[in-house]
Amino acid sequence: MTSKPLNNIWIRRQQCPCGDWKCYIKYEGDDQTTGVSELVKTDGTTSSSSDVIFTPYVGQIFKTDDEAFEYYCNFARKNGFSVRKARSTESQNLGVYRRDFVCYRSGFNQPRKKANVEHPRDRKSVRCGCDAKLYLTKEIVDGITQWYVSQFSNIHNHELLEDDQVRLLPAYRKIQESDQERILLLTKAGFPVNRIVKVLELEKGVQPGQLPFIEKDVRNFVRTCKKTVQENDAMLTERKELDMLALLEACRETSQRDNGFAYNYTTDESGKVENFSWAYGDSIRAFSVFGDVVTFETTYRSITYNMLLGVWFGIDNQGKAFFLGCALLQDETSQSFSWALQTFVQFLRGSHPQTIVTDIDSGLRDAITTELPNSKHVISIWHVLSKLSSWFSLDLGLQYPEFKTEFELLCHLENIEDFENQWNHLVSRFGIESDKHVALLFSYRASWPVAYIRGYFLARTMTIDYMKSMDKFMKTILNPHSSFKNFFDQVSEATNVAFQKKQKQLSTYSPMKTSLPLEEHARSVLSPYAFNALQQEIVLCMQYGTTDMANGSYLVRHYNKLEGECLVIWIPDTEQVHCSCKEYEHSGILCRHSLRVLVLKNYFQIPEKYFPLRWRVDTSLVLDDHVMTTQEGNDECSEAFNSLTSTLYSECLISKDRFSYVHKELNQILEIVRSMPVFDEVTLDLGPNTVNDL
């Protein structure tokens, strides 16, 4: 097999965080790889399951002997056996004029001279003298060469195999070229053969043992291709060095165009680039407002270059993920993660996030403890849930769906004591007390269950909408790339497009759902996303009753739910409200319980301190002050326009003449408005709070 240039292939990290190299992760609802062309399930034959293969017959004509052999192979495959080429006969005039194809169990194995070894292998032969055969004879008719079936027998003296067995016969166990390249890459990355087989099963979406080849074939292929592996390794090492230099040059050029652009890298003893990280000026400026919570996504790695990809994300005031920075790491050790964290903090001029959200990784956890000791570390619940199937579905079998449902309920318990009691009950009930993954999850319990992280500020990064927006960005940049330079360009383009979209977003008018002044005031202050979240709490707060507990304490309970009551403490002197549910501390959005107390206290406006800067409408990623107006301006325009049109509509319905006049005049006004420029001085003056430079 000749080596050829390979794309930079990204694959999800499949090594389980439990540390057992035999344990791997299969992600639910994912094909596991990006940057790989669609893999077609193939068994090495040219016919599909829907093709009709008729039984060969004497006199059947083929253009070539290869065509006949392929036809016989397909027939054999569908009938539970395989064939091999036996005798061929030739002459001076015709060359090869006869071909004999026989069943793979035809004839008998001839005894061989045993090797002079202490324990010679005594392999049992599969040959049993089967007489199934197809003989071909060549003839020339009108100057055209053709082959016809001269003899055919389909009588076997052995059992024919079922389809799930016949595919395992050596004749049908083919490793296609695309799979060969994949195997070589995984071998170079240090994957053992059994892991390689599991990776290929995951990529093709087949059940274990359903590949068109077996582990033994992969092992033999790797053994015979050691030289090719070494050549590929040398080629990729050289190419990686060149790619890193090209990436370095691209960063230097970008820094000349973007004054805020920052990058850093490390080198080994020979001066070759090892780790690399960069961030754009827009991202760094955005961190100053939205950097309270960051996500460090380390799901993917390049198996072409054996490097880990780490991407930093923030969440804006519209609840969407935005790019903060990127890191390419040589390995997954705590030292590499420490360097990535140090570099990220340098980019941010020493600023630290309040909370950092990651996947389960012991090396990353240790690095965060060392480099960001004042930041709260949270394991994303989505990363935990994505691993459950790999960890427990096989052992639990039919019980797994029930286990998963109860596990998800357990995750959202708000009391630590309740969580630990229910945890013990859950693992005992399903008999998984000694499972290593149960021990792993429990050892990380301070970082992922709601009961433990309820007081950590997460700014709604655990919502499905945020996760989807982050996943969408990742899929945008993880296309096949011939170099890291191209990958860098793709990240730059995706980041620019994302910021441009945010610039073009116009504030939307959010209708009122209650008559409470609190709601109207919040709508003028918060972004549409944050207001919608708060509005839902305002609507629900009306379903709660309060009980005065004296000393400014109130017990807030749903009108028909006996459980789930919360204690709200109201401090009038400083206008502070604290709820035991800790929703505000968790998301920056006041909870329904606190809002119920504010309504009880006849508050017409929510205190300003409970409108965090990150959720305000006049806080934005927008860098162009000629694009958006403030939410307040849009609200005033919308309300005024709605009031005017409502009155006009009522008046014009009084008579036909009024309606005709209004209809005519509105058409003329519409034509005039359409001919007006998009921006004018008056419109631009409506946005005094537009952010020019964060």
Side-chain angles (χ1 to χ4, degrees):
M1 174 183 171
T2 59
S3 60
K4 60 181 180 180
L6 300 172
N7 278 338
N8 183 19
I9 300 174
W10 301 97
I11 185 173
R12 283 181 179 267
R13 294 170 66 191
Q14 294 166 325
Q15 182 63 54
C16 180
C18 71
D20 185 354
W21 68 269
K22 297 179 182 179
C23 188
Y24 70 102
I25 300 298
K26 177 181 178 181
Y27 294 87
E28 295 181 359
D30 201 338
D31 62 358
Q32 306 306 311
T33 61
T34 58
V36 188
S37 59
E38 188 72 20
L39 291 170
V40 181
K41 297 179 184 178
T42 176
D43 56 18
T45 66
T46 58
S47 65
S48 67
S49 59
S50 61
D51 291 338
V52 177
I53 305 296
F54 296 102
T55 303
Y57 56 91
V58 175
Q60 186 175 2
I61 296 175
F62 297 94
K63 293 180 180 180
T64 65
D65 55 342
D66 288 336
E67 180 184 339
F69 183 71
E70 180 181 349
Y71 188 92
Y72 193 28
C73 285
N74 292 335
F75 170 77
R77 171 67 186 267
K78 290 188 175 295
N79 285 273
F81 67 102
S82 66
V83 298
R84 58 183 172 85
K85 294 179 180 179
R87 183 180 57 180
S88 63
T89 308
E90 61 180 317
S91 68
Q92 282 187 335
N93 296 330
L94 295 176
V96 176
Y97 66 89
R98 175 170 166 167
R99 292 282 193 189
D100 295 353
F101 305 142
V102 298
C103 174
Y104 77 111
R105 303 194 69 174
S106 173
F108 296 95
N109 193 42
Q110 299 297 324
R112 297 181 181 180
K113 184 178 180 180
K114 294 186 178 181
N116 187 20
V117 294
E118 184 177 354
H119 300 289
R121 290 191 297 178
D122 186 15
R123 293 181 177 176
K124 184 178 180 180
S125 174
V126 298
R127 297 190 182 186
C128 61
C130 180
D131 195 41
K133 60 193 174 185
L134 184 148
Y135 291 172
L136 288 175
T137 300
K138 183 166 68 174
E139 64 179 358
I140 301 176
V141 179
D142 296 331
I144 299 177
T145 301
Q146 62 184 22
W147 295 77
Y148 68 93
V149 179
S150 56
Q151 293 186 52
F152 174 71
S153 173
N154 197 34
I155 300 175
H156 300 265
N157 64 353
H158 56 87
E159 290 185 0
L160 299 179
L161 304 177
E162 298 294 333
D163 186 62
D164 62 336
Q165 297 173 317
V166 72
R167 67 180 184 82
L168 298 177
L169 293 176
Y172 304 126
R173 300 204 310 260
K174 303 292 184 182
I175 302 179
Q176 301 300 310
E177 183 177 353
S178 60
D179 293 329
Q180 292 177 5
E181 292 179 357
R182 198 74 160 134
I183 291 169
L184 290 177
L185 282 172
L186 292 168
T187 301
K188 189 274 303 182
F191 280 58
V193 171
N194 64 332
R195 283 286 311 285
I196 292 175
V197 172
K198 291 177 181 178
V199 168
L200 293 174
E201 289 171 344
L202 292 172
E203 290 178 352
K204 293 176 178 290
V206 300
Q207 294 297 318
Q210 295 300 311
L211 289 171
F213 47 84
I214 61 177
E215 184 176 315
K216 176 183 176 182
D217 301 322
V218 177
R219 198 176 304 279
N220 290 337
F221 172 74
V222 171
R223 185 181 296 113
T224 57
C225 290
K226 277 188 176 180
K227 182 178 179 181
T228 305
V229 171
Q230 293 171 355
E231 290 174 353
N232 265 9
D233 189 59
M235 178 192 70
L236 290 175
T237 300
E238 180 181 359
R239 179 177 148 184
K240 176 183 175 182
E241 182 179 353
L242 295 175
D243 278 359
M244 281 298 190
L245 293 176
L247 176 60
L248 179 59
E249 183 60 29
C251 287
R252 288 170 178 165
E253 294 176 358
T254 304
S255 64
Q256 295 176 359
R257 300 190 303 268
D258 181 358
N259 292 331
F261 181 80
Y263 68 97
N264 199 357
Y265 60 93
T266 63
T267 58
D268 59 15
E269 297 81 2
S270 59
K272 296 179 181 178
V273 178
E274 284 188 323
N275 303 308
F276 209 105
S277 185
W278 71 88
Y280 302 98
D282 288 346
S283 299
I284 294 175
R285 287 187 288 272
F287 179 87
S288 64
V289 179
F290 301 113
D292 40 19
V293 181
V294 299
T295 300
F296 191 36
E297 180 63 28
T298 56
T299 301
Y300 292 92
R301 63 178 298 108
S302 166
I303 63 169
T304 307
Y305 294 138
N306 194 26
M307 296 191 75
L308 178 70
L309 172 65
V311 182
W312 298 91
F313 287 101
I315 180 171
D316 64 15
N317 61 349
Q318 299 300 329
K320 302 296 183 182
F322 68 92
F323 178 86
L324 280 173
C326 188
L328 294 168
L329 303 179
Q330 187 69 26
D331 51 44
E332 302 171 20
T333 61
S334 59
Q335 291 79 8
S336 293
F337 285 128
S338 291
W339 177 85
L341 295 171
Q342 292 171 6
T343 303
F344 184 64
V345 171
Q346 290 173 6
F347 291 166
L348 304 174
R349 301 177 180 87
S351 299
H352 290 208
Q354 291 183 35
T355 309
I356 178 171
V357 182
T358 73
D359 197 352
I360 300 177
D361 189 291
S362 59
L364 183 53
R365 177 179 62 177
D366 294 342
I368 291 173
T369 302
T370 303
E371 305 300 334
L372 300 175
N374 297 323
S375 298
K376 303 296 185 182
H377 181 204
V378 172
I379 303 297
S380 172
I381 188 61
W382 302 106
H383 283 308
V384 173
L385 295 178
S386 70
K387 297 175 175 60
L388 290 185
S389 177
S390 298
W391 286 344
F392 303 112
S393 62
L394 185 62
D395 292 337
L396 295 180
L398 296 177
Q399 289 183 303
Y400 173 70
E402 182 182 0
F403 167 81
K404 183 179 180 182
T405 299
E406 294 194 19
F407 184 90
E408 291 177 354
L409 293 174
L410 179 71
C411 294
H412 293 89
L413 292 176
E414 297 184 357
N415 182 276
I416 293 179
E417 184 178 355
D418 290 343
F419 170 83
E420 294 188 353
N421 289 336
Q422 290 297 321
W423 175 271
N424 293 331
H425 174 73
L426 180 70
V427 298
S428 175
R429 178 187 169 193
F430 288 94
I432 53 176
E433 300 95 331
S434 60
D435 190 285
K436 59 186 175 183
H437 301 115
V438 168
L440 176 71
L441 284 172
F442 195 72
S443 68
Y444 277 88
R445 67 188 181 280
S447 300
W448 61 269
V450 170
Y452 287 88
I453 65 173
R454 191 61 182 169
Y456 297 175
F457 184 66
L458 287 172
R460 298 178 68 84
T461 53
M462 294 299 172
T463 62
I464 188 65
D465 289 338
Y466 172 76
M467 295 302 298
K468 285 182 177 179
S469 65
M470 188 168 64
D471 186 59
K472 181 179 179 181
F473 185 91
M474 294 297 293
K475 289 181 177 179
T476 300
I477 66 175
L478 293 180
N479 290 322
H481 305 283
S482 57
S483 67
F484 277 141
K485 166 63 169 57
N486 292 342
F487 172 69
F488 174 80
D489 293 339
Q490 184 72 16
V491 174
S492 300
E493 180 180 354
T495 303
N496 290 334
V497 169
F499 274 99
Q500 289 172 6
K501 285 183 177 180
K502 294 180 187 301
Q503 290 177 354
K504 295 178 181 178
Q505 287 176 349
L506 296 177
S507 298
T508 57
Y509 178 79
S510 300
M512 297 276 289
K513 293 184 178 180
T514 72
S515 59
L516 294 175
L518 284 175
E519 182 185 9
E520 185 175 0
H521 174 238
R523 184 177 63 173
S524 67
V525 178
L526 297 175
S527 69
Y529 172 81
F531 172 69
N532 288 337
L534 180 67
Q535 186 181 52
Q536 181 68 14
E537 296 297 314
I538 292 175
V539 171
L540 291 175
C541 85
M542 307 306 296
Q543 301 178 12
Y544 285 75
T546 60
T547 302
D548 193 343
M549 305 295 291
N551 298 323
S553 299
Y554 295 87
L555 200 61
V556 182
R557 179 185 300 171
H558 193 272
Y559 77 97
N560 66 355
K561 295 181 181 178
L562 298 179
E563 298 181 359
E565 60 188 18
C566 290
L567 180 65
V568 178
I569 299 176
W570 166 248
I571 305 176
D573 295 341
T574 55
E575 292 189 318
Q576 293 186 46
V577 58
H578 301 279
C579 181
S580 60
C581 78
K582 298 184 179 180
E583 176 61 30
Y584 180 77
E585 291 82 355
H586 192 66
S587 67
I589 302 294
L590 271 182
C591 65
R592 62 200 68 173
H593 317 106
S594 298
L595 289 167
R596 185 69 186 92
V597 172
L598 290 179
V599 172
L600 180 68
K601 294 296 181 180
N602 296 320
Y603 263 73
F604 295 147
Q605 293 185 355
I606 296 175
E608 287 293 317
K609 67 180 68 178
Y610 294 109
F611 291 131
L613 183 63
R614 67 142 27 258
W615 290 133
R616 293 179 179 239
V617 69
D618 52 4
T619 303
S620 172
L621 291 177
V622 177
L623 306 177
D624 186 353
D625 60 4
H626 298 293
V627 179
M628 291 178 60
T629 60
T630 63
Q631 176 72 24
E632 181 180 357
N634 279 338
D635 287 345
E636 291 176 358
C637 291
S638 298
E639 291 179 3
F641 186 79
N642 288 336
S643 176
L644 179 62
T645 55
S646 177
T647 303
L648 186 62
Y649 178 73
S650 300
E651 292 293 334
C652 75
L653 290 179
I654 295 177
S655 68
K656 185 176 180 180
D657 290 341
R658 287 190 177 191
F659 177 82
S660 298
Y661 175 78
V662 170
H663 186 267
K664 178 182 177 181
E665 293 299 321
L666 285 178
N667 281 329
Q668 293 179 359
I669 293 174
L670 182 59
E671 291 298 325
I672 295 173
V673 171
R674 284 175 173 171
S675 64
M676 296 174 65
V678 177
F679 298 109
D680 56 26
E681 294 180 359
V682 176
T683 303
L684 294 177
D685 289 341
L686 289 176
N689 293 323
T690 302
V691 178
N692 296 323
D693 190 3
L694 296 177

